[in-house]
């Protein structure tokens, strides 16, 4: 790290942490009692703090990673500072654990940007500004101030991916297990780590194949259907070679072990969800991928909705009209047959998706079909920004993206955090102007959401509890 970049990084981290501490103080004064899912997480963490490890709330659907880490942090702190039991496992102290995780996330994001975007591809200021921007990504940043699993889950997943990029796959798989203990679906991003290793090996072999064919002058046109067929033929030949498979197993065995642990858990537990399964049933909810593309289009609009992007998309549609027509028909069919509205989405007016669904999708039966062109543009623009990545990495990422989103019946923006962060890390480094626009946009959204949470509280009829708006 150069001296100027070190100064930028130190200043950004210090300012972000100071602002977060001030906001944390305001939020805890306004909302002292556990709120929403904290009503389950906080009592469970207190039980662990008091050594009652066999006590379990059946309404909790995730593994106890958050409570184990919290106990491991607050118990030594309580002994060191002489705190009483009412202080060291209070709601505020437990929330502060996530604030610490957010500092770790900031540092990990910076290291990942440095690893993925080398000095020739980006300046130090661009990397630091990208880190600061992604660290205050509104959906993730909001849950930094509540005792939820998202911040810790993101920390261990990012740490695992960083270790993967540096070739320390045993540490990566172990950190992936920690992420799995926070949220079971994080196994997908452990698979992503292993898959990215495989993608790198495939890319090396594919480049050698292309070089050989270039010498023989037998290369198909780039982007053509014949090139796609050639890629799949190459894959088939590669994976049917015992030598290649042995090499891949030796490279990825820590992730394979983690996969075996996951399937053993599924077998013993009878499913991926612990506790209350009635509200977390898996289904084929294909429109979730459309919602994710739209979500990404909104939060990355400086990168995805530029005039040049729109013009390129329209030219692409004109050039490949038949293919886009087929894609539109398939999308309409998926929207028609596989759109689900979870009971929480329809009933809980504390969450923003409730209002999006009611004000937009429920306005008219045809709205969900009218939005298909928007979904197609969002998906095209999303994919177009990843053109710098090799085809095998993109295959791995999109398989993990589909696995992380499609089985979810509930439209919940928190489920999009990790797919979005992974995407944002890997797009080419944007210009300084786009980064500043993105940063200002995130600041504005955070200001609005925290204003609504703190100052627009309301009450339900026949209920004295204060309700607040949130993601």
């Amino acid at each position: 790290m150069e001296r100027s970049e070190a100064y930028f990084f130190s200043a950004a981290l210090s300012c972000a942490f100071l602002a977060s501490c001030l906001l944390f103080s305001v939020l805890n004064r306004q909302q002292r009692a556990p709120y929403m899912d904290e009503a389950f997480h906080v009592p469970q963490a207190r039980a662990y703090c008091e050594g009652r490890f066999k006590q379990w709330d059946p309404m909790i659907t995730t593994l106890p990673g958050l409570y184990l880490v919290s106990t491991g942090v607050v118990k030594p702190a309580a002994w060191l500072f002489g705190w009483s039991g009412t202080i060291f496992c209070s709601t505020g102290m437990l929330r502060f654990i996530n604030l610490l995780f957010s500092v770790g996330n900031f540092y990990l994001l910076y290291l990942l940007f440095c690893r993925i975007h080398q000095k020739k591809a980006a300046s130090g200021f661009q990397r630091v500004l990208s880190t600061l921007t992604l660290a205050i990504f509104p959906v993730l940043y909001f849950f930094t101030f509540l005792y939820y699993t998202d911040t810790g889950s993101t920390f261990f997943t990012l740490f695992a991916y960083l270790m993967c990029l540096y070739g320390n796959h045993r540490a990566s798989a172990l950190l992936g297990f920690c992420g799995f203990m926070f949220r079971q679906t994080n196994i997908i991003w452990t698979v992503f780590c292993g898959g990215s290793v495989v993608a790198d090996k495939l890319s090396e072999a594919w480049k050698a194949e292309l070089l050989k064919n270039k010498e023989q002058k037998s290369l198909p046109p780039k982007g053509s259907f014949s090139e796609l067929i050639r890629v799949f033929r190459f894959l088939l030949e590669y994976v049917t070679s015992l030598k290649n498979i042995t090499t891949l197993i030796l490279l990825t065995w820590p992730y394979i072990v983690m996969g075996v642990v996951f399937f053993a858990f599924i077998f013993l537990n009878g499913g991926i969800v612990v506790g209350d399964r009635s509200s977390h049933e898996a289904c084929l909810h294909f429109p979730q991928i459309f919602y994710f593309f739209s979500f990404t289009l909104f939060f990355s609009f400086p990168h995805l909705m530029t005039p040049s992007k729109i013009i390129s998309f329209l030219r692409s549609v004109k050039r490949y009209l038949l293919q886009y027509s087929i894609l539109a028909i398939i999308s309409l069919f998926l929207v028609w047959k596989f759109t689900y509205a979870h009971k929480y989405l329809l009933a809980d007016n504390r969450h923003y998706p409730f209002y999006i669904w009611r004000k937009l999708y429920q306005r008219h039966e045809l709205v969900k079909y009218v939005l298909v062109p928007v979904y197609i543009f969002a998906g095209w623009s999303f994919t177009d920004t990843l053109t710098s990545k090799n085809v095998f990495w993109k295959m791995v990422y999109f398989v993990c993206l589909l696995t992380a989103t499609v089985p979810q019946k509930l439209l919940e923006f928190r489920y999009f955090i990790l797919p979005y962060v992974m995407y944002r890390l890997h797009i080419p480094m944007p210009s300084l102007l786009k980064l500043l626009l993105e940063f200002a946009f995130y600041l504005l959204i955070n200001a609005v959401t925290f204003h609504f949470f703190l100052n627009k509280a309301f009450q339900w009829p026949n209920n004295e509890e204060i309700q607040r708006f949130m993601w």
Side-chain angles (χ1 to χ4, degrees):
M1 188 190 299
E2 295 179 1
R3 181 172 294 182
S4 60
E5 187 174 351
Y7 288 151
F8 288 143
F9 174 78
S10 300
L13 178 57
S14 300
C15 290
F17 184 64
L18 176 60
S20 296
C21 286
L22 293 173
L23 185 55
F24 180 84
S25 176
V26 172
L27 188 143
N28 273 279
R29 283 200 300 269
Q30 290 267 26
Q31 183 63 45
R32 293 184 181 275
Y35 184 67
M36 286 289 290
D37 288 3
E38 286 186 320
F40 308 111
H41 293 311
V42 170
Q44 187 62 53
R46 285 174 179 165
Y48 274 43
C49 284
E50 294 166 7
R52 292 181 278 116
F53 294 102
K54 292 184 179 181
Q55 180 178 322
W56 186 259
D57 186 337
M59 293 301 293
I60 295 173
T61 58
T62 53
L63 292 169
L66 177 62
Y67 320 126
L68 291 171
V69 170
S70 300
T71 303
V73 171
V74 299
K75 288 282 277 187
W79 174 80
L80 185 64
F81 297 108
W83 292 335
S84 65
T86 55
I87 296 176
F88 78 82
C89 244
S90 64
T91 302
M93 187 57 65
L94 292 172
R95 288 172 178 168
F96 191 74
I97 300 294
N98 276 344
L99 200 60
L100 297 178
F101 272 130
S102 73
V103 176
N105 284 337
F106 192 105
Y107 188 51
L108 289 170
L109 286 169
Y110 173 72
L111 293 177
L112 283 164
F113 273 118
C114 289
R115 184 67 179 175
I116 296 167
H117 303 279
Q118 302 294 333
K119 289 184 179 180
K120 291 181 181 180
S123 68
F125 186 72
Q126 283 177 301
R127 286 194 293 268
V128 173
L129 184 56
S130 294
T131 300
L132 179 60
T133 302
L134 200 49
I136 63 165
F137 170 53
V139 182
L140 175 61
Y141 190 65
F142 182 88
F143 290 101
T144 296
F145 302 93
L146 297 174
Y147 192 59
Y148 274 57
T149 58
D150 302 274
T151 314
S153 163
T154 302
F155 173 82
F156 283 109
T157 303
L158 292 178
F159 204 171
Y161 188 47
L162 181 68
M163 290 297 100
C164 171
L165 292 180
Y166 277 99
N168 195 338
H169 301 301
R170 283 176 289 185
S172 177
L174 181 60
L175 289 162
F177 176 76
C178 295
F180 167 74
M181 288 294 291
F182 271 67
R183 184 171 288 167
Q184 294 91 303
T185 52
N186 283 349
I187 186 65
I188 295 165
W189 301 106
T190 303
V191 172
F192 174 74
C193 290
S196 64
V197 176
V198 174
D200 286 343
K201 293 299 292 182
L202 288 170
S203 182
E204 289 174 13
W206 177 241
K207 286 176 182 176
E209 178 78 6
L210 289 178
L211 188 62
K212 182 176 69 175
N213 287 311
K214 189 175 182 181
E215 291 171 356
Q216 298 172 359
K217 298 183 179 179
S218 60
L219 276 175
K222 191 172 182 181
S224 65
F225 183 73
S226 57
E227 186 189 32
L228 185 64
I229 295 297
R230 193 177 188 87
V231 168
F232 280 108
R233 188 180 299 161
F234 163 78
L235 272 175
L236 186 62
E237 291 175 1
Y238 191 92
V239 298
T240 51
S241 165
L242 182 61
K243 180 183 177 182
N244 292 335
I245 291 297
T246 304
T247 301
L248 293 179
I249 290 173
L250 290 173
L251 274 173
T252 61
W253 69 264
Y255 306 110
I256 295 171
V257 170
M258 186 59 210
V260 171
V261 169
F262 172 73
F263 283 112
F265 164 76
I266 293 290
F267 176 76
L268 294 173
N269 186 56
I272 193 170
V273 178
V274 298
D276 179 31
R277 300 180 184 181
S278 60
S279 301
H280 296 83
E281 297 174 352
C283 66
L284 288 176
H285 193 180
F286 289 108
Q288 283 278 27
I289 194 66
F290 301 146
Y291 305 148
F292 174 74
F293 286 150
S294 304
F295 174 91
T296 305
L297 187 69
F298 177 77
F299 282 106
S300 280
F301 85 90
H303 320 306
L304 301 183
M305 289 187 68
T306 60
S308 61
K309 285 273 187 195
I310 296 170
I311 292 170
S312 296
F313 173 71
L314 293 175
R315 286 175 178 167
S316 178
V317 171
K318 184 179 179 180
R319 185 177 180 184
Y320 303 105
L321 185 59
L322 177 61
Q323 290 91 325
Y324 278 99
S325 300
I326 295 170
L327 178 60
I329 291 168
I330 293 171
S331 300
L332 287 166
F333 174 78
L334 294 176
V335 169
W336 173 46
K337 281 292 186 182
F338 296 97
T339 295
Y340 300 100
H342 196 282
K343 60 184 180 181
Y344 289 168
L345 178 64
L346 299 175
D348 196 338
N349 66 344
R350 295 169 293 185
H351 292 283
Y352 295 133
F354 169 88
Y355 296 96
I356 294 172
W357 194 263
R358 192 179 73 172
K359 299 290 186 182
L360 184 62
Y361 288 92
Q362 288 188 324
R363 184 172 291 275
H364 194 279
E365 180 64 24
L366 293 178
V367 168
K368 60 185 179 182
Y369 303 110
V370 172
L371 288 172
V372 164
V374 178
Y375 299 151
I376 292 174
F377 169 70
W380 176 89
S381 191
F382 180 92
T383 307
D384 186 61
T385 53
L386 293 174
T387 50
S388 61
K389 308 303 294 182
N390 69 68
V391 64
F392 306 105
W393 185 93
K394 284 187 278 192
M395 285 180 181
V396 171
Y397 175 76
F398 277 102
V399 166
C400 291
L401 172 60
L402 289 168
T403 310
T405 55
V406 170
Q408 306 282 359
K409 188 175 183 179
L410 176 63
L411 174 56
E412 170 70 85
F413 292 150
R414 289 189 299 137
Y415 300 156
F416 296 160
I417 290 174
L418 282 171
Y420 179 83
V421 169
M422 288 296 181
Y423 159 77
R424 182 59 186 81
L425 280 167
H426 284 278
I427 66 173
M429 184 61 70
S431 67
L432 191 57
L433 179 62
K434 289 180 180 179
L435 286 173
L436 289 170
L437 180 59
E438 183 184 35
F439 176 65
F441 183 54
Y442 284 8
L443 280 179
L444 176 63
I445 295 174
N446 281 325
V448 171
T449 51
F450 280 106
H451 169 71
F452 273 91
F453 183 82
L454 295 171
N455 303 318
K456 298 294 181 180
F458 62 98
Q459 288 180 292
W460 288 334
N462 305 317
N463 191 317
E464 294 182 357
E465 290 185 14
I466 297 295
Q467 310 299 334
R468 300 180 186 275
F469 296 108
M470 62 190 295
W471 287 108

